[in-house]
């Protein structure tokens, strides 16, 4: 049975109509957001903005928007001149999730790392580190149930940060600045109650961050095409009377509901420019500050990675506070990230693209791993057969890929 496209024609047409109508609505909301930004653009208003945020926090109003760091909220900043030399370390990960119908219950996490000696003319260093998980403790989720894909993803994220710290540490004596880049928000999302070893993973993640702090690495988490609304939440807070701030009024973004931060900043940021630095006011970021100290709290800025004369392309870059407080380092990192985005046709950091290529497990490699496991299990006199359900699926549609790549 194939997809019957003729049954989708009217639905796709309706989708186009709705998205077109939303475009005008977003334009109106963007204009309103810019007016609010302009009203508080002067540096003299920065203490007032900080006070409005603090009042919302003191009221326990559930505020989850942004707080400006120490820069006026409408200011934009050019990068520093591109450094003649620098060291760039980037990591990414992929996974083969557990398959209850496979020949054995296991999963694999593969971490790819690239080290680029910018300005040296040397070839990049490339590292791929696969880790196989198969012991009972690795395969159990909360309350001894089966492990979920979310748990595997959480462990992969922590291993990415651990690898980033390890390989950055090895480069601590090389050219500066040292940019440690990962394709993830830095805030460790996904360590909920369903992750049985969440405390140990959290400790490992913070230990890795601390190693990066010790060598004063420029740690950054890169998010392409961000859909966050932290700054829009701040503008909504400024748009309502202080006396009206409550959980009810902050439950959504009021007149700005549906607007994204990137839609606001795309009209403000020129190529290679960044926004002001902000801090996300969330319980998770508060936990980062409480556990790691002020240096581990996460700040962010928006960066336009587009080239001149093309539409803006916004990325969100997260940095720990030890980076955010060093404006010279921020400006150098900004220049390096923008330069990285110019190395390929796609406006995306070359180092992260290569790290992804190193991490991804191809379908044929997944099959070869299955064959290795099958041969080994057979040698030990163990059964190594797929379930009848999987055999049936393979017969109907051919063997499907069983790995995921973020």
């Amino acid at each position: 049975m194939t997809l019957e496209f003729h049954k989708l024609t009217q639905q796709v047409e309706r989708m186009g109509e709705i998205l077109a109508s939303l475009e005008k609505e977003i334009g109106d909301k963007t204009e309103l957001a810019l007016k609010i930004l302009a009203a508080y653009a002067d540096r003299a208003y920065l203490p007032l903005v900080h006070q409005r945020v603090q009042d919302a926090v003191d009221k326990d109003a559930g505020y989850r928007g942004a707080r400006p760091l120490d820069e006026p909220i409408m200011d934009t900043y050019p990068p520093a001149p591109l450094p003649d030399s620098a060291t760039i370390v980037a990591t990414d990960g992929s996974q083969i999730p557990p398959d209850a119908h496979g020949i054995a219950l296991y999963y694999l996490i593969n971490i790819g790392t690239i080290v680029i000696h910018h300005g040296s003319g040397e070839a990049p260093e490339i590292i791929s580190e696969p880790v196989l998980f198969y012991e009972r403790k690795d395969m159990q989720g909360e309350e001894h149930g089966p492990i979920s894909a979310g748990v595997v993803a959480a462990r992969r994220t922590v291993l990415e940060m651990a690898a980033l710290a390890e390989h950055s540490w090895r480069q601590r004596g090389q050219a500066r600045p040292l940019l440690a880049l990962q394709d993830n928000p830095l805030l460790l999302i996904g360590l909920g109650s369903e992750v049985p070893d969440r405390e140990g993973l959290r400790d490992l993640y913070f230990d890795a961050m601390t190693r990066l702090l010790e060598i004063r690495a420029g740690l950054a988490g890169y998010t392409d095409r961000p859909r966050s609304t932290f700054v829009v939440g701040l503008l909504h807070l400024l748009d309502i009377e202080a006396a009206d701030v409550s959980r009810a009024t902050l439950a959504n973004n009021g007149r700005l509901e549906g607007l994204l931060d990137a839609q606001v900043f795309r009209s403000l940021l020129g190529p290679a420019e960044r926004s002001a630095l902000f801090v996300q006011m969330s319980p998770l970021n508060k936990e980062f500050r409480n556990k790691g100290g002020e240096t581990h709290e996460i700040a962010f800025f928006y960066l336009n990675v587009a080239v001149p004369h093309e539409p803006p392309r916004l990325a969100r870059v997260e940095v720990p506070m030890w980076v955010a407080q060093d404006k010279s380092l921020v400006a150098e990192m900004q220049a390096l990230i923008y330069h990285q985005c110019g190395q390929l046709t796609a406006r995306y950091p070359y180092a992260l693209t290569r790290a992804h290529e190193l991490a991804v497990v191809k379908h044929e490699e997944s099959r070869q791993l299955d064959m290795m496991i099958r041969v080994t299990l057979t040698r030990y006199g163990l059964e190594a057969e797929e379930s009848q359900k999987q055999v049936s699926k393979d017969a109907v549609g051919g063997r499907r890929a069983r790995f995921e790549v973020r």
Side-chain angles (χ1 to χ4, degrees):
M1 189 73 175
T2 58
L3 186 62
E4 298 188 38
F5 287 98
H6 67 280
K7 294 183 178 179
L8 291 170
T9 303
Q10 291 186 347
Q11 298 176 57
V12 172
E13 184 67 24
R14 178 60 177 157
M15 175 183 174
E17 292 176 3
I18 291 176
L19 292 181
S21 65
L22 285 176
E23 193 69 18
K24 182 182 184 308
E25 181 182 327
I26 290 301
D28 294 340
K29 291 181 177 182
T30 300
E31 186 176 342
L32 173 60
L34 292 173
K35 288 180 179 178
I36 301 170
L37 267 175
Y40 292 89
D42 195 281
R43 178 173 290 276
Y45 286 104
L46 199 54
L48 174 60
V49 176
H50 284 149
Q51 189 59 54
R52 288 296 307 274
V53 172
Q54 189 58 50
D55 288 346
V57 172
D58 292 342
K59 281 187 175 183
D60 192 24
Y63 179 64
R64 299 292 182 267
R67 169 176 60 82
L69 191 56
D70 54 5
E71 299 169 332
I73 62 177
M74 202 175 184
D75 278 10
T76 61
Y77 299 85
L82 183 68
D84 293 331
S85 60
T87 305
I88 302 170
V89 183
T91 61
D92 198 11
S94 71
Q95 64 198 53
I96 301 177
D99 184 357
H101 299 284
I103 61 173
L105 194 59
Y106 72 90
Y107 64 91
L108 177 133
I109 294 176
N110 192 42
I111 306 298
T113 304
I114 183 169
V115 180
I116 298 175
H117 300 281
H118 169 77
S120 71
E122 299 176 13
E125 301 174 37
I126 56 174
I127 307 103
S128 178
E129 299 168 297
V131 183
L132 192 65
F133 296 84
Y134 51 86
E135 295 187 45
R136 182 176 299 175
K137 63 181 177 61
D138 298 322
M139 306 309 299
Q140 290 179 341
E142 189 71 1
E143 298 180 355
H144 304 292
I147 191 172
S148 68
V151 174
V152 176
R155 291 173 179 168
R156 184 198 66 221
T157 298
V158 172
L159 288 179
E160 288 171 6
M161 179 60 80
L164 188 62
E166 175 63 26
H167 292 290
S168 296
W169 180 269
R170 294 178 183 178
Q171 301 297 323
R172 64 191 183 278
Q174 300 300 314
R176 294 288 174 141
L178 171 55
L179 172 61
L181 190 60
Q182 75 168 27
D183 182 24
N184 253 333
L186 294 183
L187 284 175
L188 187 54
I189 301 169
L191 279 187
S193 59
E194 75 283 0
V195 182
D197 52 345
R198 55 189 173 276
E199 292 304 325
L201 289 174
R202 188 176 287 110
D203 289 343
L204 180 59
Y205 192 87
F206 275 91
D207 288 346
M209 284 188 67
T210 300
R211 290 191 78 186
L212 289 164
L213 166 62
E214 289 171 352
I215 59 174
R216 309 304 295 184
L219 172 61
Y222 187 91
T223 300
D224 184 49
R225 298 184 69 178
R227 299 191 60 80
S228 42
T229 60
F230 309 131
V231 177
V232 171
L234 171 64
L235 298 180
H236 168 56
L237 176 67
L238 298 175
D239 188 43
I240 59 179
E241 296 293 332
D244 294 333
V245 173
S246 66
R247 285 189 172 270
T249 57
L250 296 185
N252 59 48
N253 286 328
R255 296 197 293 169
L256 301 176
E257 181 65 22
L259 186 63
L260 305 178
D261 291 352
Q263 291 166 330
V264 177
F265 285 111
R266 62 183 287 122
S267 61
L268 294 176
L269 298 175
E273 289 184 339
R274 71 165 175 89
S275 71
L277 280 154
F278 297 89
V279 178
Q280 181 188 345
M281 302 297 291
S282 69
L284 184 55
N285 207 6
K286 182 179 179 181
E287 178 184 312
F288 264 58
R289 182 186 178 103
N290 290 342
K291 186 174 179 63
E294 180 183 348
T295 54
H296 287 53
E297 188 176 27
I298 304 301
F300 68 90
F301 60 85
Y302 289 93
L303 174 65
N304 181 5
V305 300
V307 297
H309 311 301
E310 79 169 3
R313 298 174 185 267
L314 274 292
R316 190 181 75 245
V317 180
E318 295 187 359
V319 295
M321 200 58 69
W322 81 75
V323 173
Q325 292 172 341
D326 185 343
K327 298 302 190 296
S328 295
L329 177 57
V330 169
E332 289 180 321
M333 291 168 61
Q334 179 183 346
L336 286 167
I337 292 172
Y338 184 75
H339 180 260
Q340 281 286 302
C341 288
Q343 302 305 296
L344 299 169
T345 303
R347 301 299 297 178
Y348 184 79
Y350 169 78
L352 288 178
T353 301
R354 288 298 315 278
H356 170 78
E357 290 174 353
L358 293 168
V360 68
V361 181
K362 300 179 180 63
H363 175 50
E364 184 56 37
E365 293 170 334
S366 178
R367 294 190 63 177
Q368 289 178 14
L369 176 58
D370 267 0
M371 182 58 67
M372 286 177 62
I373 293 172
R374 186 190 299 273
V375 169
T376 300
L377 294 183
T378 301
R379 192 169 71 248
Y380 278 91
L382 301 173
E383 181 180 348
E385 299 295 334
E386 294 176 327
S387 72
Q388 292 304 302
K389 178 178 180 179
Q390 187 61 53
V391 171
S392 175
K393 284 185 175 182
D394 291 346
V396 171
R399 186 180 182 85
R400 60 183 174 85
R402 291 174 32 245
F403 58 89
E404 297 179 351
V405 177
R406 176 178 43 75

